[in-house]
Structure formats: C-alpha cells, structure tokens
Amino acid sequence: PRDQQIVLEIIKEYGIHNVRIHRIFDNAAKYLQVVRSMDVFIGMKLHSVILAMCAGVPSIMIEYSPKCRDFMMSVNMEKFSININNATYEQLETCFDCILSSQKQVTSNIAYQMISFKKKQLRKASEIQSRIKWDI
C-alpha cells in the first residue's frame, strides 16, 4: 500500500493514460486470477513480477534494486527490465511493443523458465525431505 503514491507519480510524470491499478496486497489467489487476464504486466515490486511470471504473463520490471535485474536475468527477460532511476516512457513503450509483437515466443520462454525452476525446487525439496530424520 505504501508504494501507491510512487506508482501514481510515475503515471503522472510519464503521461500514461488508461491505466488500471490493481490493489491486491494480501490474497495471492485473487492476485493470480487478475494477473492471468493481462497481456502484459508492468510491476515495480519484485514479488509482483515473480508472481506474474508464475502466472505466465510477460512482464516489464521497473527495477528499484539490483535484485530485480538479477531475477529478470535468471529468467532470460532482462531486456524487459528498466531501471527506475533513468526510466523513460520510450523505454517502457519499446518493451511493451516488443512483448506484444512476439507474445507467443515470450510466453513460451517464460513457461519454460518457470517449469525449470519448479522442477529444480521439487528436486531440492525432495533432497531436503530425505535428509530430515524425525526421531519422535
């Protein structure tokens, strides 16, 4: 909730119109349901973009910290990451147009990356589970 003012300032500064801001902060299922209906997601918070990617939605990251770019690089989507300190409307528009012009390919790449991460997490969880010994 405390980031709402920043989002509104960015929208005003860049003259962005017809924007829908979804204020879902504490309901992951509802958040994913709303995000899945989008063609492109623009996010300022790392976890909002991670969840959008998990929902299979191509995303543009407005990066506020190196961890944001790190995530985008980990899913081979760094070209859709814009540093907040030098972001321009033109950069945002270029990313948006690039995603829309190759949406099927971008979506396929996201699905591949998310499935790979899911498999890795399941392997690690299984490994941890097999190492835990409960003496009850």
Side-chain angles (χ1 to χ4, degrees), residues 31-38 48-59 107 110-111 114:
Y31 178 86
L32 289 171
Q33 179 185 5
V34 169
V35 171
R36 280 189 186 103
S37 70
M38 297 177 184
S48 69
V49 174
I50 291 171
L51 286 173
M53 294 277 203
C54 288
V57 178
S59 301
T107 302
I110 291 168
M114 294 302 111

Side-chain angles (χ1 to χ4, degrees), residues 73-84:
M73 289 172 65
S74 77
V75 293
N76 297 319
M77 297 288 157
E78 63 270 16
K79 68 182 176 181
F80 303 125
S81 188
I82 303 170
N83 187 290
I84 194 166

Side-chain angles (χ1 to χ4, degrees), residues 3 8-9 23 39 48 57-58 120:
D3 294 325
L8 294 172
E9 287 173 18
R23 294 169 176 91
D39 294 320
S48 69
V57 178
K120 184 175 183 178

Side-chain angles (χ1 to χ4, degrees), residues 10 16 18 41 47 50 56 58 97 117 133:
I10 288 172
I16 301 169
N18 300 323
F41 179 83
H47 291 95
I50 291 171
D97 290 344
F117 282 134
K133 295 185 179 165

Side-chain angles (χ1 to χ4, degrees), residues 70-132:
D70 289 345
F71 169 73
M72 295 300 277
M73 289 172 65
S74 77
V75 293
N76 297 319
M77 297 288 157
E78 63 270 16
K79 68 182 176 181
F80 303 125
S81 188
I82 303 170
N83 187 290
I84 194 166
N85 295 319
N86 55 16
T88 65
Y89 180 77
E90 289 75 23
Q91 286 176 301
L92 188 60
E93 188 174 40
T94 298
C95 287
F96 194 78
D97 290 344
C98 183
I99 289 172
L100 290 180
S101 68
S102 58
Q103 193 164 9
K104 285 185 182 182
Q105 182 64 43
V106 173
T107 302
S108 292
N109 290 344
I110 291 168
Y112 175 79
Q113 294 296 329
M114 294 302 111
I115 290 168
S116 295
F117 282 134
K118 181 179 179 179
K119 287 178 181 178
K120 184 175 183 178
Q121 285 182 327
L122 289 172
R123 279 193 310 271
K124 290 293 182 183
S126 179
E127 182 182 313
I128 291 168
Q129 197 172 32
S130 70
R131 291 181 182 199
I132 295 175

